Amino acid sequence: MPDEYPRILQVEPTNACNLNCIMCVRRTWDARVGYMDPRLYERLAEEAFPHLERLTLYGLGEPTSHPNFVEMVEIARRRLPEEATIFFSTNGTLLGPRMADRLVLDLGVDSISFSIDTADAAKLSRIREGARPGLVLSNLRHVGEIKGRAPRDFTLAVEAVLMRQNLDDLPDLVRTAADLGVDEVYLSHVVPYTRQMYEMAVYLTFTREALELAGPILEDEDRVKLALSQEMGIVYAGRSEAPAREVLLSVWDEALGRGLWLNLPMMREESDRLRAFERAASAVEEAAELADELGVRLHVPPFHPDARERSCPYVESDAAVVRWDGKVAPCLDFMYTHPMWVNGHLKLVREVYFGDLNEESLADVWNSPEYVEFRRARRSMSAEIPWCGDCPYSTQECWFTRSNEVDCRGNSPHCGECLYSVGISRCLI
C-alpha cells in the first residue's frame, strides 16, 4: 500500500516570469500564463502540508513574481510540521532585502537557490535577458550576509546551466559564490527545447562504455562500409565469407553481453561534441579544485549517462508537482506540452497529469491506480524503461521517439529519453 501523501511536494506559484532566458521552455510553449489561486493554495495547505517532509515553491516561472508569495510561505510554515523544510529557486531579480529578511529571518525558509549561469555580467545579460546582473548579485550578497541570523539551519545555493558559452566562467562563478557566502553550487546540463539550444550542450546521450566499445568501428570508416557491403552480399548473393562483418558483429555481441546497444549513427554525428569534452572536463576540474579549496560544495553532473543506472528523481524522492492551475504532474518536465531536441531529433513532450485539485484531493490523486502504476514502473527504471540514447533507431526517425506518449515496451508515458533520469540535468526538489 503506498503512502497516503507524497513526502515532497513541488508547488508552482506561477508560470509567469520577468526574464527572457535563452534556455527556458516558456519560449517554446503555447500555454496560458497564470498565478495560483490563493484559495486553491489554502485548501492544498490544509489537506496536505501536515504530511510533508519538504515543500518546494517553484515551477517554470519566477515564484517571487506571485503577488502573494510571502503569504504562501507564511501559510506553509504554519501548516507544515516543525521539522519540514521549505525551499525555492529564484532568478534573484525580485528578491530584494526586504522580502529576503521576511522570508529567511521571520518565516524560516530553509533553503534558497539563485539561478546564475555565470558571474560575467555581460554574458548573464545575454543568457537571461533583463536579469540586471548587478541587482541579482547584490540580492544574493544580502542573503549571504543574513543567513547566519536565520532561525533554522539555512542553506544558500547557486545553480548554473552548463553550456559551451559559460564553460570558461565556472571557476570565477565558484569564486564569486564563495565570496558571497554561498554554501553549494549545483551544475546541470541544458535541457534543449530548440535546435539552437541543442548546439549549446556539452553532454552526450549514449553510454560511455558503449562509446569505448564502438571505438575501433568509429575509427575505421572503411571497415564499416566493407562490413555493410559484406552483409548485403550474404543477403543477396549467398556469400559465406565476410571477415569485416564478423568484426562488426563481435563488437555488437560484446555490447549486448554487457546489456548495451551501440548508437553508431549518433556517435558519428556527435564527433564535434566529443572534441569539446576535453575543454569541458578541464573547466569543471578547475572549478571543483577551487570549490574544495574555498569550502563550497560543488555538484557536478555526468557528461555521459549510464543506461544501467537510471532512476526518476521524483519517484525516488516520493515527490509530486502541483501546477499553478491545480493539475498534478509527476515531474517538472511533464508539466507542460513543449518541444525537445534529444538524441539528434525533435520530439513533442506532451503534458502528463494524474488529477486536478480543483475537483479532487491530493490523496485521491496520489493513490489513484494510474499514478501508483506510473511510480511502480519507474522504481525499477533501468529494467522496465528503455534508454533511447544507446539505440540506433532513436536517431533514425523511430516512431516511438516522436513524442512521450508510449515507448517500444508499451510504457506510457515515454521516459526513455529523460535527461533527469541519468543525472545529466538536475531538478532541485
Side-chain angles (χ1 to χ4, degrees):
M1 176 68 184
D3 292 333
E4 186 178 5
Y5 288 94
R7 291 189 300 112
I8 299 174
L9 193 62
Q10 182 171 357
V11 177
E12 179 184 55
T14 175
N15 63 9
C17 191
N18 60 326
L19 300 184
N20 185 22
C21 303
I22 61 175
M23 64 282 191
C24 182
V25 67
R26 295 188 311 110
R27 295 166 63 96
T28 65
W29 70 13
D30 188 25
R32 180 167 60 96
V33 173
Y35 299 82
M36 179 168 280
D37 187 324
R39 293 168 296 182
L40 172 62
Y41 183 80
E42 284 267 18
R43 291 198 304 273
L44 176 62
E46 183 177 0
E47 178 207 356
F49 287 11
H51 305 278
L52 300 180
E53 295 181 10
R54 182 174 175 85
L55 175 67
T56 298
L57 286 170
Y58 84 100
L60 294 180
E62 169 53 39
T64 60
S65 67
H66 193 291
N68 301 106
F69 182 71
V70 173
E71 289 78 2
M72 294 173 83
V73 174
E74 185 175 9
I75 291 169
R77 183 49 71 205
R78 189 167 64 245
R79 293 289 188 181
L80 289 166
E82 174 62 28
E83 66 277 8
T85 58
I86 300 174
F87 163 77
F88 70 91
S89 174
T90 176
N91 61 41
T93 56
L94 303 177
L95 187 60
R98 183 176 178 181
M99 181 185 287
D101 289 352
R102 178 76 174 127
L103 293 171
V104 176
L105 301 181
D106 298 339
L107 299 180
V109 166
D110 297 87
S111 181
I112 299 174
S113 180
F114 281 65
S115 296
I116 303 176
D117 301 304
T118 173
D120 184 310
K123 283 187 181 180
L124 186 59
S125 295
R126 290 194 297 270
I127 294 172
R128 297 179 180 269
E129 187 177 335
R132 298 177 61 191
L135 176 63
V136 174
L137 294 176
S138 175
N139 290 341
L140 176 60
R141 180 184 298 278
H142 179 76
V143 178
E145 290 172 349
I146 67 172
K147 71 173 188 174
R149 296 189 281 125
R152 299 169 67 89
D153 188 13
F154 181 82
T155 301
L156 179 59
V158 159
E159 55 193 281
V161 178
L162 281 176
M163 299 172 284
R164 296 193 187 203
Q165 288 85 338
N166 66 351
L167 281 176
D168 297 331
D169 304 333
L170 291 180
D172 191 47
L173 177 64
V174 169
R175 187 178 293 105
T176 299
D179 290 343
L180 297 178
V182 171
D183 303 296
E184 299 182 284
V185 174
Y186 290 90
L187 302 181
S188 174
H189 289 290
V190 65
V191 178
Y193 305 116
T194 65
R195 182 60 189 252
Q196 178 188 14
M197 294 165 61
Y198 183 72
E199 298 300 330
M200 299 176 186
V202 289
Y203 59 86
L204 298 170
T205 51
F206 42 82
T207 304
R208 177 184 292 276
E209 189 177 349
L211 177 63
E212 292 171 351
L213 282 172
I217 301 175
L218 296 172
E219 292 169 4
D220 192 346
E221 186 174 347
D222 290 338
R223 173 177 284 180
V224 175
K225 292 179 180 178
L226 180 59
L228 293 174
S229 66
Q230 290 176 351
E231 178 72 25
M232 298 296 286
I234 291 173
V235 173
Y236 291 103
R239 295 173 185 164
S240 58
E241 292 189 10
R245 171 183 177 271
E246 294 304 322
V247 171
L248 184 62
L249 289 179
S250 68
V251 175
W252 271 98
D253 289 341
E254 184 174 357
L256 291 174
R258 299 188 193 184
L260 300 170
W261 278 39
L262 301 181
N263 190 349
L264 295 177
M266 176 58 67
M267 291 177 185
R268 290 173 59 82
E269 286 183 20
E270 297 288 23
S271 57
D272 177 63
R273 211 181 302 268
L274 281 168
R275 288 191 290 270
F277 266 31
E278 185 174 342
R279 171 173 161 246
S282 175
V284 168
E285 183 179 357
E286 183 181 349
E289 291 176 357
L290 185 60
D292 187 59
E293 177 186 330
L294 298 176
V296 175
R297 294 187 294 277
L298 180 66
H299 304 267
V300 180
F303 287 83
H304 278 275
D306 186 339
R308 295 162 300 186
E309 294 293 334
R310 288 178 287 135
S311 63
C312 172
Y314 282 85
V315 169
E316 293 299 312
S317 302
D318 288 324
V321 182
V322 179
R323 214 165 68 173
W324 70 269
D325 58 0
K327 299 288 197 304
V328 181
C331 66
L332 188 72
D333 198 41
F334 285 170
M335 286 175 70
Y336 297 95
T337 297
H338 60 85
M340 181 176 176
W341 274 92
V342 62
N343 292 326
H345 68 89
L346 178 67
K347 76 182 301 177
L348 180 65
V349 178
R350 299 185 186 277
E351 66 180 36
V352 176
Y353 59 88
F354 291 101
D356 187 339
L357 299 187
N358 293 289
E359 302 171 356
E360 52 195 323
S361 69
L362 180 63
D364 287 342
V365 176
W366 180 252
N367 293 287
S368 65
E370 297 81 9
Y371 202 173
V372 170
E373 173 57 23
F374 175 91
R375 299 196 299 273
R376 184 207 64 76
R378 284 147 189 82
R379 291 197 188 281
S380 53
M381 199 162 189
S382 296
E384 299 203 30
I385 309 294
W387 176 246
C388 302
D390 286 326
C391 176
Y393 300 114
S394 67
T395 55
Q396 304 297 309
E397 302 296 328
C398 171
W399 182 86
F400 292 104
T401 63
R402 294 179 183 177
S403 75
N404 65 325
E405 293 182 83
V406 63
D407 68 30
C408 58
R409 295 184 192 171
N411 299 291
S412 181
H414 183 343
C415 296
E417 294 181 293
C418 175
L419 299 176
Y420 301 96
S421 71
V422 290
I424 283 177
S425 296
R426 183 192 302 274
C427 284
L428 293 183
I429 51 175

